[in-house]
């Protein structure tokens, strides 16, 4: 049993913070009492020092599927007060695995040193549980992983049998507890999916009352079409909940499209489609560096790209093409955010322009060294739009980052991994001053969307996932120069009744 006293409770709802003692019993909340709870020894009492006690934060969009197996302490998340992460996003999940996608994913996750020898969600889940992680992971089934498990990474049209097999595997994952389907329609092989494929898969999601979370086909030039596509598939399939991942307007030419995108979303909400969004509070994105490659490279998977880049002549041709197609100042907007290649991992955080006189050649060399692990950070978002998106009542924080250890064992990253959730709360507090609403965004809102009926509130019977934070100091000082700087203002994090972090 743990007793929490001398604090204000922001219970996850819009109710203003109130004074109370909280008692946990094992992994659940046993009592919320406005009277002092007596009879608990001092050794089991946490003095909150007048801070806010909230339900453990839920990171609505993460990618810790494999990272948490390698480092179950979950430093970057629990140090921000995150106790649950929604993983398996952007079409990329740790299951189902077959001979057609295992090698690809092992390459992608090579720096975590895990052998990906399971096949389905149940087996993966057992593997994760055995590590007793400090962070609770809730998984979506990723469409890219699912598609590759059945058809590989090519763009040949699917046969009826392949589509039926995808439906079967998705249904099995949802039966076993996965919460929905995620897509990454920008990436290979998800980008090859047509309407019939996606609607049929979403019908399986609808039958399980799951969520459809999507990294849109385009977040820039095709933003409005991509939002419309998403909503159309939801309507055709009957799926009731849609989460637009890291909602943004990418590229200056598209900043003016925010009004149109919000209108589409809010019209759908008005029509009782439950559309919500997540966002990290930064204007630089991060994804695989290979997304900058021109056709036909953009239809190739990492393994194939790296294979082709072994040929000197091919490397020269690609270098020349990048020189021609990208303006010189473009390379000041792109930063090397991560790489496992020995030559490049120490140079993360710098822009491509800073890494050498011939940026096109530099990029090709980075990709040739290790395509799968090379990540770029891309500037191109608008600060004013970021503020507007975060102000949307249905926007919740999503880091788009991994649970990473503080010691940097798995290399560099975007500062969002250690800071997105704390910074989101800071920015909402600065904007509105409303502690209850800031907490709601990171707790009961995602809990409702992802159907986590035991989380997101401080109420007897709910899971004892808690965070104690100082509303004056919660923030993230992490940046690209020092991405592993822990969040500030977090006093204590409790997962299932266990103290997993204390400042
Ligand atoms: Zn994404």
């Amino acid at each position: 049993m743990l007793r929490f006293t001398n604090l204000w409770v922001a219970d996850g709802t819009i109710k203003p913070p109130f004074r109370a003692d909280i008692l946990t019993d094992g992994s659940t909340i046993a009592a919320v009492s406005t009277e002092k709870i007596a009879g608990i020894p001092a050794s089991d009492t946490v003095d909150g020092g007048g801070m806010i006690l909230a339900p453990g934060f839920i990171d609505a969009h993460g990618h810790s599927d494999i990272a948490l197996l390698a480092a179950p302490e979950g430093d970057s998340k629990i140090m921000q007060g995150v106790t649950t992460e929604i993983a398996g996003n952007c079409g990329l999940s740790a299951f189902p695995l077959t001979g057609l996608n295992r090698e690809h994913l092992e390459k992608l996750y090579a720096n975590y040193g895990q052998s990906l020898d399971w096949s389905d969600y149940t087996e993966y889940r057992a593997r994760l549980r055995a590590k007793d992680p400090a962070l609770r992971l809730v998984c979506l089934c990723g469409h890219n992983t699912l598609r590759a498990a059945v058809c590989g990474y090519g763009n040949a049209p699917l046969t009826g049998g392949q589509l039926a097999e995808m439906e079967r595997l998705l249904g099995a994952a949802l039966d076993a507890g996965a919460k929905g389907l995620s897509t990454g329609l920008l990436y290979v092989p998800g980008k090859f999916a047509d309407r019939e494929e996606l609607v049929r898969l979403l019908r399986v999601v609808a039958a399980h009352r799951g969520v459809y979370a999507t990294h849109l086909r385009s977040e820039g030039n095709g933003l409005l079409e991509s939002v419309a596509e998403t909503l159309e598939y939801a309507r055709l399939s009957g799926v009731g909940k849609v989460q637009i991942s890291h909602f943004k307007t990418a590229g200056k030419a598209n900043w003016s499209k925010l009004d149109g995108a919000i209108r589409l979303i809010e019209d759908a909400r008005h029509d009782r489609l439950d559309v919500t969004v997540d966002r990290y509070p930064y204007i630089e994105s991060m994804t695989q560096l290979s997304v900058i490659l021109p056709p036909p490279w953009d239809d190739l998977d990492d393994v194939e790209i790296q294979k082709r880049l072994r040929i000197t002549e091919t490397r020269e041709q690609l270098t020349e093409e990048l020189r021609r197609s990208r303006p010189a100042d473009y390379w000041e907007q792109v930063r090397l955010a991560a790489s496992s290649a020995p030559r490049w991992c120490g140079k993360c955080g710098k822009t491509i322009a800073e890494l050498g006189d011939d940026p096109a050649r530099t990029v090709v060399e980075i990709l040739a060294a290790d395509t799968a692990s090379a990540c770029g950070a891309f500037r191109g978002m608008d600060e004013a739009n970021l503020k507007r998106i975060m102000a949307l009542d249905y926007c919740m924080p999503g880091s788009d980052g991994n649970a990473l250890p503080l010691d940097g064992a798995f290399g560099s990253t975007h500062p969002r991994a250690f800071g997105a959730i704390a910074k989101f709360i800071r920015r909402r507090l600065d904007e509105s001053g409303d502690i209850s609403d800031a907490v709601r965004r990171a707790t009961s809102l995602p809990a409702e969307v992802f159907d986590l009926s035991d989380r997101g509130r401080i109420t007897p019977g709910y899971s004892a996932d808690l965070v104690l934070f100082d509303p004056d100091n919660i923030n993230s000082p992490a940046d690209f120069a020092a991405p592993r700087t822990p969040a500030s203002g977090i006093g204590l994090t409790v997962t299932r009744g266990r103290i997993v972090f204390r400042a």
Side-chain angles (χ1 to χ4, degrees), residues 106-125:
E106 282 183 336
K107 188 106 183 67
L108 183 67
Y109 291 117
N111 61 335
Y112 295 112
Q114 301 295 303
S115 120
L116 276 56
D117 54 2
W118 56 84
S119 62
D120 60 11
Y121 176 66
T122 305
E123 287 176 17
Y124 162 72
R125 192 84 201 153

Side-chain angles (χ1 to χ4, degrees), residues 31-358:
V32 178
S33 170
T34 49
E35 307 287 320
K36 292 270 173 236
I37 296 172
I40 306 295
S43 58
D44 294 334
T45 294
V46 174
D47 184 330
M51 291 200 273
I52 300 281
L53 187 73
F57 297 144
I58 298 171
D59 181 349
H61 185 105
H63 289 282
S64 303
D65 315 62
I66 306 300
L68 204 56
L69 286 173
E73 304 78 21
D75 291 345
S76 64
K77 304 273 168 131
I78 61 158
M79 293 175 103
Q80 296 181 72
V82 173
T83 54
T84 292
E85 174 195 306
I86 312 300
N89 275 291
C90 302
L92 178 65
S93 59
F95 59 89
L97 296 185
T98 67
L100 291 173
N101 63 358
R102 187 172 278 113
E103 182 202 347
H104 180 99
L105 289 172
E106 282 183 336
K107 188 106 183 67
L108 183 67
Y109 291 117
N111 61 335
Y112 295 112
Q114 301 295 303
S115 120
L116 276 56
D117 54 2
W118 56 84
S119 62
D120 60 11
Y121 176 66
T122 305
E123 287 176 17
Y124 162 72
R125 192 84 201 153
R127 185 69 59 89
L128 189 61
R129 283 218 176 108
K131 303 269 180 164
D132 193 20
L135 174 73
R136 305 175 72 181
L137 221 59
V138 169
C139 293
L140 302 170
C141 179
H143 168 248
N144 288 10
T145 306
L146 174 67
R147 195 181 209 271
V150 177
C151 329
Y153 289 87
N155 63 354
L158 300 194
T159 65
Q162 287 174 321
L163 193 44
E165 178 63 1
M166 284 171 72
E167 290 173 314
R168 190 188 70 76
L169 289 171
L170 174 60
L174 297 171
D175 283 340
K179 292 292 184 180
L181 179 74
S182 79
T183 54
L185 298 175
L186 172 73
Y187 303 111
V188 172
K191 64 190 291 187
F192 306 133
D194 62 10
R195 179 209 308 241
E196 191 202 345
E197 175 179 336
L198 291 167
V199 170
R200 277 186 50 182
L201 293 173
L202 288 175
R203 284 199 182 116
V204 178
V205 177
H208 287 79
R209 298 182 170 277
V211 188
Y212 174 38
T214 181
H215 176 144
L216 298 170
R217 206 177 280 277
S218 165
E219 298 178 317
N221 294 344
L223 174 66
L224 298 180
E225 295 80 353
S226 297
V227 173
E229 176 191 22
T230 301
L231 301 174
E232 183 200 353
Y233 297 166
R235 289 188 186 106
L236 288 170
S237 65
V239 88
K241 290 195 265 188
V242 173
Q243 175 85 355
I244 296 183
S245 303
H246 36 64
F247 182 44
K248 63 170 82 78
T249 52
K252 198 166 186 176
N254 302 305
W255 290 357
S256 61
K257 292 178 180 167
L258 184 59
D259 283 322
I262 291 176
R263 207 174 308 123
L264 287 169
I265 290 169
E266 296 192 347
D267 284 352
R269 285 172 60 86
H270 191 74
D271 289 343
R272 294 174 188 278
L273 179 60
D274 192 359
V275 189
T276 45
V277 305
D278 58 71
R279 180 60 200 255
Y280 47 81
Y282 305 86
I283 55 168
E284 282 180 78
S285 62
M286 180 173 100
T287 191
Q288 287 198 287
L289 189 58
S290 57
V291 299
I292 66 163
L293 296 180
W297 294 87
D298 57 340
D299 279 353
L300 305 178
D301 71 287
D302 304 329
V303 176
E304 182 61 25
I305 291 172
Q306 190 161 357
K307 199 164 99 193
R308 293 196 189 185
L309 289 179
R310 280 194 206 117
I311 302 160
T312 311
E313 202 179 25
T314 310
R315 280 203 305 275
E316 290 304 321
Q317 277 166 4
L318 180 61
T319 303
E320 195 43 52
E321 193 166 345
L322 285 171
R323 273 193 204 117
R324 246 198 340 260
S325 60
R326 299 285 186 182
D329 62 355
Y330 173 75
W331 304 109
E332 291 160 20
Q333 318 287 319
V334 183
R335 210 186 273 283
L336 178 63
S339 169
S340 299
R343 181 175 163 200
W344 299 105
C345 61
K347 296 181 172 145
C348 294
K350 290 189 168 19
T351 66
I352 302 296
E354 288 167 338
L355 289 175
D357 297 336
D358 187 351

Side-chain angles (χ1 to χ4, degrees), residues 23 302 365 498:
L23 192 68
D302 304 329
E365 283 173 6
R498 173 165 61 126

